[in-house]
Amino acid sequence: MNVTIDASYKSLNKHHEELCGDKVELLKTEDSNIMILADGMGSGVKANILATLTSKILGTMFLNGAGIDDCVETIAKTLPVCQVRHVAYSTFSILQIFHNGEAYLVEFDNPSCVFIRDGKLLEIPCKERVLESKTIREYRFQVRLNDCFILMSDGVIHAGVGQLLNFGWTWQSMADYALTAMKESLSASRLATVLTKACNDLYMQVPGDDTTVAVARIIDTKIINLLTGPPSDKGDDAYLIHQFMKEQTKKIICGGTSANIASRILDRPIKTTLNYTDPALPPIAWIEDIDLVTEGVLTLSRALVLMKHYVEGNVDEFFFEELDKDNGGSKVAKLIIEDCTVLNLFVGKAINEAHQNPGLPFDLSIRMHLVEQIKDTALKMGKQVTVKYF
C-alpha cells in the first residue's frame, strides 16, 4: 500500500492578538508525512515563541530519525521558563503517516485526535507513558483509504464557553460536527476551514483563545493532465494529443486553438455552453473524454490568482465560494487545489500573435510565464509537477 496524504490546517488568533499561540508544521521525509501541532502556554508573543520552538524542535528531530523520548527530553530542557508561571510549557500532537500505511500518533495535553473511518468515529487504543514528568499518549495503527485525522488545540473544544455554550463546544460535539462536515468536504483545506468557521461562530467572531484545526486525509493518487497551446510544429499535433490522452487521468484543455486541435485529431465535436457566469471570462466547453475545456490565457490567469491565494493562506468560506463558481478559472483552480496530487502540464510553444509580439522569444511569452507560475505554485501546494514542451 502506497498512501497519499492530503494535509492542511487553519488557525484563529485570540481576539486582539497579532500572533497566534498555536503552530503547525507539515513535513515530508522520503517515506512519510509528518504533521505537528504545538500550542504554547497563554497567548500572544510568549505562546507563539513556545509553540514555534516546540514545533521546530520536534520537526527537526523527527526528520532526523529521533524517537519521542529524545524529543520530549530536548523540549523540557530547551523551552524558556515563563517568569510569571515559572514553567516551560507547550502542548503538542504529532502524526506521522508512512507511505506503507503505518501510522504513529503521539499527544501531550492536546485534545485527542478525531479519527474518522468509513463515515464513523473510530476509537484506537493508546498507550500512556510518562517522560520527563509529562504523560504522553501513543497510538500505532494502519491507515486505510479515505481515513481522516483531525488534530486540534484546546481553543476548539473551548469555543463558545461562557457565551453561547456553558461548557464550550466539547470534544464529542466537535467530532460529531466534523463527521458530518467531512462528508461534504472535498479536501483537507476545506474541512479545516469549515471547522474553524464553526469555532469562530461559537466565539461570536471574538475568539477567546488561539484556535487551530489540522486535518490529514488518506486519498488516492489523483493525476491531472493540463494542455495549453498548440505545438510549435503543426506536424506534432497528433503526437501531442496522443501523449496527452494516453493515460487514465482527468484532463483539462486551456485554449481555443488547443481545443480545436484535440477535436480534429480525436474526431470529436466541441460542445460549448453559452452560460456566461462571469463576463470577464469566456464560457467553458466539453469534448468527449476531456473533463474540462476552457479559453487559455484569461482562464489560466484567474486560476493562478486563486491558487496563489490558497498558498498564501488566504482561505476562508469566501475563498471556497469563489472556488465553487461556475466559470473556467474557478473550475481549473478547484481541480488543481482539491482534486490533484500529480499535475502534468503539456505546453505548446507556438506563439499566439494576439498575446504578444511574435518576435519575442518563447521564454518571454505570456503563456510561458503563466505556466511557470502555475508550476511553482502547485509545487508549493505539495503537488508533483511535470512540464513537457512541444
Side-chain angles (χ1 to χ4, degrees):
M1 179 182 184
N2 190 18
V3 302
T4 302
I5 315 299
D6 175 24
S8 187
Y9 68 93
K10 188 165 179 61
S11 298
L12 300 173
N13 294 5
K14 183 179 178 180
H15 188 56
H16 288 319
E17 295 288 356
E18 292 191 15
L19 294 176
C20 184
D22 302 336
K23 181 69 175 177
V24 176
E25 290 283 325
L26 301 177
L27 306 169
K28 290 184 178 182
T29 68
E30 289 185 357
D31 64 347
S32 72
N33 290 66
I34 302 171
M35 184 162 68
I36 300 169
L37 189 159
D39 179 0
M41 182 174 59
S43 60
V45 175
K46 286 184 181 179
N48 180 268
I49 291 171
L50 290 169
T52 301
L53 279 171
T54 300
S55 61
K56 291 294 185 183
I57 290 170
L58 290 172
T60 302
M61 294 187 72
F62 259 70
L63 283 175
N64 287 280
I68 188 61
D69 303 59
D70 294 332
C71 292
V72 172
E73 180 184 358
T74 302
I75 288 171
K77 294 179 178 179
T78 304
L79 292 185
V81 176
C82 175
Q83 292 182 347
V84 177
R85 300 174 179 88
H86 303 292
V87 291
Y89 185 76
S90 175
T91 66
F92 59 82
S93 302
I94 309 167
L95 175 63
Q96 184 172 24
I97 301 174
F98 294 89
H99 296 166
N100 63 4
E102 294 178 1
Y104 172 65
L105 170 68
V106 58
E107 298 172 330
F108 168 62
D109 266 13
N110 267 343
S112 298
C113 174
V114 175
F115 298 87
I116 299 176
R117 174 176 289 173
D118 298 328
K120 299 176 182 177
L121 294 174
L122 181 69
E123 287 189 19
I124 296 178
C126 70
K127 175 183 176 183
E128 288 194 352
R129 289 199 293 147
V130 178
L131 300 173
E132 296 288 329
S133 302
K134 302 179 189 295
T135 302
I136 67 166
R137 301 185 301 271
E138 287 184 294
Y139 307 75
R140 296 185 186 275
F141 51 94
Q142 196 78 18
V143 301
R144 297 181 189 172
L145 185 64
N146 298 321
D147 280 357
C148 180
F149 308 95
I150 304 171
L151 305 182
M152 70 196 88
S153 63
D154 59 2
V156 173
I157 60 173
H158 293 156
V161 65
Q163 296 176 323
L164 293 178
L165 303 170
N166 288 336
F167 302 105
W169 200 6
T170 76
W171 185 93
Q172 188 62 49
S173 298
M174 183 273 182
D176 291 339
Y177 185 86
L179 184 62
T180 302
M182 179 196 161
K183 297 173 183 177
E184 302 172 359
S185 301
L186 290 174
S187 63
S189 61
R190 192 180 289 252
L191 181 56
T193 299
V194 167
L195 295 176
T196 50
K197 180 183 184 299
C199 292
N200 201 31
D201 290 343
L202 289 171
Y203 278 123
M204 295 190 291
Q205 284 67 51
V206 185
D209 192 7
D210 298 303
T211 302
T212 298
V213 174
V215 178
R217 300 179 73 161
I218 311 301
I219 62 173
D220 271 326
T221 298
K222 300 177 180 180
I223 304 173
I224 288 180
N225 286 359
L226 190 154
L227 166 63
T228 181
S232 54
D233 184 346
K234 291 184 179 180
D236 290 336
D237 286 358
Y239 175 71
L240 168 57
I241 300 303
H242 172 74
Q243 293 295 309
F244 175 67
M245 295 293 297
K246 70 177 182 180
E247 295 182 1
Q248 288 292 109
T249 67
K250 287 197 172 182
K251 297 177 177 66
I252 304 171
I253 296 178
C254 294
T257 305
S258 306
N260 285 324
I261 292 172
S263 175
R264 173 169 53 82
I265 299 298
L266 299 173
D267 194 23
R268 299 168 190 169
I270 300 175
K271 299 177 181 179
T272 305
T273 176
L274 296 178
N275 185 17
Y276 282 86
T277 57
D278 188 325
L281 293 177
I284 59 176
W286 289 271
I287 299 174
E288 184 182 345
D289 293 331
I290 308 293
D291 296 275
L292 179 63
V293 179
T294 75
E295 177 274 341
V297 168
L298 295 175
T299 301
L300 288 176
S301 297
R302 176 71 65 84
L304 178 61
V305 168
L306 291 171
M307 291 168 64
K308 285 184 174 180
H309 280 313
Y310 178 83
V311 168
E312 292 164 0
N314 300 324
V315 177
D316 53 20
E317 64 270 26
F318 303 110
F319 171 83
F320 285 107
E321 285 177 9
E322 186 68 32
L323 201 65
D324 290 337
K325 286 185 176 179
D326 189 24
N327 63 68
S330 293
K331 285 181 174 291
V332 171
K334 183 175 182 177
L335 283 169
I336 294 175
I337 291 171
E338 295 197 310
D339 207 17
C340 172
T341 59
V342 179
L343 177 62
N344 299 319
L345 296 168
F346 295 76
V347 185
K349 296 174 69 173
I351 297 295
N352 187 333
E353 296 184 12
H355 294 162
Q356 63 275 308
N357 184 342
L360 293 176
F362 179 67
D363 286 351
L364 296 180
S365 76
I366 292 176
R367 182 162 24 88
M368 175 60 177
H369 188 55
L370 279 171
V371 167
E372 285 299 314
Q373 289 190 79
I374 288 171
K375 180 191 78 171
D376 292 343
T377 307
L379 286 171
K380 290 176 182 176
M381 292 180 191
K383 318 290 185 187
Q384 297 180 38
V385 184
T386 63
V387 185
K388 297 179 181 178
Y389 296 102
F390 296 85

